[in-house]
Amino acid sequence: MAAISLLNPKAEIARAAQALAINITAATGLQRLMASNLGPKGTTKMLISPAGDIKITKDGNVLLHEMHFCHPTASMIARASTAQDAATGDGTTSTVLLIGELLKQADLLIAEGLHPRQLTNGIMQAKDQAIQLLQSLSMPVEIERDILVALAQTSLRTKVDASLADLLAKICVDAVLSIRSDRQQLLDLNMIELMDMKQYTTLETQLVEGLVLDHGGRHANMPTYLEQAYILTCNVSLELEKTSVDSSFCYKSAEEREKCVSEEHRFIDQRVAKIIELKRKLCSNNRRGFVVINQKGIDIPSLEALAGAGILALRRAKRRNMERLTRACGGEALHSLEDLSEEHLGYAGLVYEQQLSETKYTFVRQCRNPTSVTILIRSPSGHQTETIKDAIRDGLHAIQNTIEDGCLVPGGGAFELHAYKELVKFKPWVKGKAQLGVQLFADSLLVIPKTLAINSGFDVQDTIVKLTTAAKESEQLVGLDLDTGEPMNPTEKRVFDNYCVKKLMLNSCSVIACNLLLTDEIMQAGMTSFKG
C-alpha cells in the first residue's frame, strides 16, 4: 500500500508504467494537436470562445494561451512553451513537437526494459553536444536592413500570408532601426506603439514615424491640420479639481463664495494664458502651428480660449504616450508651467486629425530623429487585427534577438539535420546504454523537417531520405525547400532562425522530457474541506 494512502485514503495514485503512460499520452496528444501549425505551409485553427468570439490563428503561443487544458502534464508543457515565447518571442510549436517526440521515442525503449535514468543520461549528453554544434553553426552578422528583413520574413511567414508577411517584415525592421539609437544592443520595444483602424485591407498597414493618438481636439473651432508645429507635452490640470481628501467650504455670504470660485478659476486662467502667450510669441510672424497634449483634463472655458488662439489641444492623453511623445518629438514632459519656454517644446512637421466613424485619430508625423514610432494596423475585422498584432510582436522579437545575439542560424530544418548527422557520429564515444539516449535525441530532432515536409504536402519518408543523404554528401548545410520538397542551401535562400530561440528550445525540451520520464508516481491528494 502506498505511503500516501496511509496519510490520505482518498488520494488518487498512478505509479510506474501507468504514470509514464499518462505523461507520454499527454505529450504526444499535444504534439499531434500542434504539428499541423508548424512552418509557412502550416494550417490554421479556429478558436471560438464561450462568448462566441472567433480567433483564427496558427501561432502556437496564441493557441496554447487561449485553450484550456485539464490534463496536468499537457498544461505543464503548454506553460513551458509559452514561457519560451515570453523570453524569445518564438519557438512555441517547435518546443511542443520536440518534447512529444522525445517521449514517444522513449516509450519504445522503456517498453523493452531500458531504465529511464540511463535514457535521460544519454539525452542530456546529446543536448550538450547539440548546443555546442549550434554555437559552431551560428553566423555572426552585421546589423543591416537586408539581413534583418530576411530574418523577419522567415519568422512572419509562419504566422500570416507571404505577401502580408513581406510587408510587415519591412515595417518591423524600419521600426526597430528607428528606435535603436547610438547602435545600442538593448531595445525598448514599448517605444513601438501598435494602433489599429478598422478600414481598408491588411496590406494598407503602414509605419508612422511619429505617433497616432486615438483621440482628437475637444472643440469644434480648433484647427485640424497644422504644419511645422510646436508640441507641448504636459501633465498639468487645466480644469477645476476636487480635493484629494473629503472637505467642505463654509461661506458667510454669496460674495465670499463668488470670490472663492473666481480665485480657483484664476489659477487655471493663468496657466492657459501662459500657453497662449508663448504661442503668440513663437508663431506670430509665421504659419507654424501649436499643439498641447495634456495627460490631465481641460475644462470648457480653457478649450474655448485655446481654440480662439488657434491651438489644437488634446486632453486626457494616455500615460504610456507621454514618454513616447518626448521620444518622438523631443522636448520635455512638463508637470508645471512656471518657467515655460521654447526649449521645453517638441517639434512635428505635420499634425492632423482623421475621423473614422465616431473616433478621432490624431497623427503626429515628420518628427526629427524619432526614437518612438507607431505601426498603424488597418484591417476590416477585429480577428484580423489580433492576428497581425501577434505576428508583429513575434517579428519585433526576432529582430531584437538578432541584434542582441549578433548572430543567426540557418533555418529550414538545416540545424536539425546537421545535428542528427553529428550526433550519430558522437554516439560511439558515449559509454553504455546512454548511447540509446543519444540516438533517441538525434532521431527526435528530425521531427522538425518531417513536420515541415508533411505540412507542405510531400511524402515524409522520401523527403527525409533525400535530406539525410544530401546532408551526409554535402559539406554545406542542407535544409528543406518547402516549394519543391528538395534539399536547398538555407543561406542562399536567406532562410534564418534565431540562435537564442534554438538554444532555449534544446535546453527546455530536454529538461522537461527528462523530468517527465523520471516521474514514477502521480498523486492527486489535495486538502479536503470539512463542512459540519
Side-chain angles (χ1 to χ4, degrees), residues 228-240:
Q228 298 182 356
Y230 289 105
I231 309 294
L232 172 59
T233 306
C234 57
N235 183 22
V236 178
S237 178
L238 296 178
E239 64 179 351
L240 298 179

Side-chain angles (χ1 to χ4, degrees), residues 297-308:
I298 305 176
D299 60 16
I300 293 177
S302 300
L303 287 172
E304 291 178 349
L306 294 171

Side-chain angles (χ1 to χ4, degrees), residues 297-418:
I298 305 176
D299 60 16
I300 293 177
S302 300
L303 287 172
E304 291 178 349
L306 294 171
I311 296 174
L312 173 61
L314 283 70
R315 65 184 181 184
R316 307 195 194 287
K318 293 181 175 64
R319 184 177 180 180
R320 68 173 187 270
N321 286 331
M322 303 310 286
E323 182 181 356
R324 292 193 181 108
L325 279 166
T326 55
R327 292 277 295 268
C329 305
E332 300 177 18
L334 299 179
H335 294 274
S336 172
L337 301 179
E338 291 299 322
D339 301 316
L340 182 61
S341 63
E342 183 179 0
E343 63 184 14
H344 298 134
L345 305 179
Y347 169 84
L350 183 63
V351 179
Y352 63 92
E353 284 186 6
Q354 181 176 343
Q355 186 156 353
L356 180 63
S357 185
E358 296 181 357
T359 306
K360 287 183 179 180
Y361 294 89
T362 301
F363 289 74
V364 182
R365 311 184 72 160
Q366 298 179 14
C367 305
R368 295 171 181 165
N369 302 320
T371 55
S372 177
V373 296
T374 301
I375 297 177
L376 182 60
I377 301 170
R378 299 182 190 269
S379 69
S381 60
H383 72 83
Q384 285 182 310
T385 299
E386 292 301 318
T387 301
I388 294 175
K389 282 185 178 180
D390 294 330
I392 288 175
R393 175 185 169 276
D394 290 348
L396 294 175
H397 276 88
I399 299 166
Q400 183 185 39
N401 293 336
T402 304
I403 294 174
E404 292 178 355
D405 294 339
C407 62
L408 290 173
V409 178
F415 163 71
E416 286 79 7
L417 289 164
H418 179 74

Side-chain angles (χ1 to χ4, degrees), residues 247-266:
S247 60
S248 59
F249 294 91
C250 300
Y251 309 103
K252 294 180 181 177
S253 62
E255 289 77 11
E256 287 188 359
R257 181 183 179 280
E258 290 298 327
K259 186 177 179 181
C260 181
V261 171
S262 62
E263 192 67 17
E264 281 187 300
H265 279 289
R266 189 174 66 85

